[in-house]
Structures are given as structure tokens and as C-alpha cells.
Amino acid sequence: MASVQNPQSKIENLRSVDFPDPFVLRVGADYYAYATNAGGLNVQMLHSTDLRSWERWGDALPVLPAWAAVGQSLTWAPSVLARGADFVLYYTARFQATGLQCLGCAVSDAPAGPFRDDSTAPFLCQRDLGGSIDPSPFVDEDGRAYLLWKNDGNSCGLPTGLWLQPLRADGLALEGEPLELLRRDQPWELPLVEAPALLKHAGRYYLFYSGNWWESADYAIGYAISEILTGPYTKPLAGPWFARRDDVLGPGGQEFFTDRQGQVWMAYHAWTAPHAAYPAGARSLHLARIHFEAGRPVADIDK
């Protein structure tokens, strides 16, 4: 049985916490939020029971596998999939042998971890496409699980796309063949699209993604729609769906979850004005309720 994490401190102001690429998992009455490494933690973790008050917990992945380089800003975009009695953590790390960012896979019998990855090589690494980053699991209505990610082509001058592949029932291996779903084709997205996340509503698949440059106030969220999971996906808007507003700059890194009442939420990060870059800025955790109007997603007042 994995050890249970204990709270380290209460978070008085989420806007003061650097918590990029957030992923929120609900387990019963508890909400676990995971994020890109910061403050010496490989995978940051927050815990809440009401989505208002949060506590900082420990490192969900305290030990990286032998293939992964240790260092600040090298372990990104964690996400967690519940599979039976286990929880599977997908994350991005630096593959020391190649210098590429690639995907890892760790497992725990508790959502707070600690997660363990004993692998000797990455879970997924598209070496000929610049590496692989931003993993996001999706479970369809029939219970079949899939993994989405981005090939890191922009890191080496190659095309960048968003991909999908089925997962084995336990989430610990991929099955079938990878399928590219989307690429950048709108001016606002320049220079890239990334951070794919799927949401299904009324029988249609909504593929959300972040576009533009992450260290910018113009980073934003777009989406595309398909009648079937494998596409083709069509972008209904000529610009971003969710962009900068007031003192919230460069929103992105979006993921979706459902609360105890069945309400869909979007977790995302954003810079707080006036800073939209490091070292002065921080990408803090934000939450927004999601509903649909005439088939279009709407993000309610930010929390």
C-alpha cells in the first residue's frame, strides 16, 4: 500500500503559486491537482475537498527513472488516469540518452502517490519527430482509455501535431498505432499548438488545445470538433476560444474534470498581470465551470 501524503501547508492565495500545466483528478470527495515541476518537486501536488481551499502536498513522483534527467524545468505536464485500484501517472521528462523530452509512465495504488516508474526507457518517444510531450488521458463512454500528446517538433524545426493512441486496459502500455489529429493552421496559433485535452458532449468530441507561445500574454486555448473520436477535427472559430482577459494573461495548459455534482470544470494556468514570463511571473492555477450553448463550449466566471 502506498504511503499517504500529509499536508505541508495551506495555500492562502493560488495566484501566488507557480503551478503550470495543471491536471485535476477527483477521487470520491477529494480533488488532487498535479503540475509541472517547481520548487524542487518533480510533480507538484495540491489537495482540496471543495475546490476553494487548497493544501500543498508533497512530490507525487519523488524519484525519476534512470533514463530521465534531474533538474528544474525538465519534468512537465503530469496527468493521472484511474485504472481499477491503481492510478497511472503520465508525465514529460528529459531523455538523457537523446536530449529529447519524452513521456514517462508511473503507477501507484493511491492518488497522492508516491508514484513509481522503474522503466529503463521512456513510455513513448517520437525520436524522429523531436520527442513527445504533454500527455493527457481520455476515457470514452465505453470505458476504453486513450492517450493524447504533442510531438515536440518545434524544438528542432519539424512540424508539430497533436496525437492519439489507444491504451491497454491497465493504462501501462499503448496499443494499435498513433494517429495525428491536428496541426497549427491559424495565425493566432503561431508558432505551435500543444497540450491536447478531449471532452465529449452530446455525442461529439471536443479537442481542446493551447496555441501561440507559452511564455506570452497571447498564449490561448482553442478547440476543434469531430463526430468520431479519430476525426477529422474541424476548428469552428477563426481565433482562440479562451484568451487573455483583465489581469489573466496567456491562459493555457487546460484539462477537464467533473465534480461530485456532475459539473464539468476546466483547470488551466495563466500569468497574473503585469508579468507574462519568468522570472518575475508565475503560471497559477485557475478553474472555470464549463457548459454548452448550441453545441459551443462556454467557460463561466473564473474561480
Side-chain angles (χ1 to χ4, degrees):
M1 180 70 179
S3 61
V4 177
Q5 297 269 4
N6 292 316
Q8 293 185 346
S9 61
K10 290 186 177 181
I11 304 299
E12 300 297 335
N13 180 10
L14 278 175
R15 302 299 178 262
S16 67
V17 177
D18 191 42
F19 204 76
D21 308 310
F23 183 93
V24 175
L25 175 73
R26 181 177 66 84
V27 181
D30 296 278
Y31 298 91
Y32 300 87
Y34 311 84
T36 286
N37 69 340
L41 305 178
N42 293 318
V43 174
Q44 298 185 76
M45 186 165 46
L46 302 179
H47 173 264
S48 177
T49 57
D50 59 10
L51 297 178
R52 292 186 297 273
S53 176
W54 293 85
E55 294 175 321
R56 182 182 288 282
W57 281 19
D59 195 335
L61 184 66
V63 180
L64 294 175
W67 59 264
V70 177
Q72 188 72 10
S73 302
L74 296 181
T75 309
W76 306 339
S79 58
V80 178
L81 174 66
R83 293 282 87 183
D86 290 328
F87 298 87
V88 184
L89 170 73
Y90 306 100
Y91 63 97
T92 308
R94 178 68 53 84
F95 187 14
Q96 296 185 82
T98 64
L100 299 175
Q101 294 293 115
C102 303
L103 301 187
C105 173
V107 66
S108 174
D109 61 6
F115 288 84
R116 181 172 178 142
D117 184 351
D118 295 324
S119 64
T120 58
F123 179 72
L124 172 65
C125 192
Q126 296 164 294
R127 298 194 197 189
D128 58 340
L129 295 176
S132 307
I133 70 171
D134 295 350
S136 177
F138 170 74
V139 180
D140 211 343
E141 291 173 344
D142 62 1
R144 187 71 190 272
Y146 299 81
L147 190 69
L148 297 110
W149 72 91
K150 163 204 167 181
N151 77 282
D152 203 21
N154 58 279
S155 68
C156 53
L158 294 174
T160 297
L162 307 181
W163 298 75
L164 174 78
Q165 190 168 350
L167 284 162
R168 198 171 68 190
D170 62 5
L172 299 178
L174 292 160
E175 295 184 331
E177 297 297 324
L179 174 67
E180 187 176 14
L181 300 180
L182 205 70
R183 286 192 183 182
R184 177 185 63 81
D185 60 8
Q186 295 187 354
W188 76 267
E189 300 165 342
L190 189 71
L192 54 83
V193 292
E194 58 190 5
L198 266 174
L199 185 62
K200 191 174 186 180
H201 173 76
R204 306 172 83 190
Y205 296 89
Y206 292 77
L207 175 58
F208 293 84
Y209 62 92
S210 301
N212 206 284
W213 185 243
W214 66 273
E215 205 169 23
S216 162
D218 294 324
Y219 198 57
I221 301 169
Y223 74 94
I225 306 174
S226 176
E227 299 296 329
I228 60 174
L229 176 63
T230 53
Y233 283 85
T234 301
K235 300 174 184 177
L237 304 177
W241 165 69
F242 192 87
R244 59 189 294 175
R245 56 191 65 189
D246 300 327
D247 66 339
V248 177
L249 307 179
Q254 69 294 323
E255 288 283 2
F256 299 87
F257 67 97
T258 303
D259 67 17
R260 296 194 297 271
Q261 289 72 44
Q263 170 67 52
V264 176
W265 292 79
M266 178 175 70
Y268 66 100
H269 69 240
W271 304 94
T272 300
H275 304 293
Y278 294 121
R283 291 179 287 170
S284 57
L285 171 63
H286 293 251
L287 300 174
R289 295 179 181 87
I290 301 296
H291 72 276
F292 287 80
E293 296 178 359
R296 292 198 170 192
V298 177
D300 293 339
I301 297 173
D302 188 68
K303 210 173 137 57

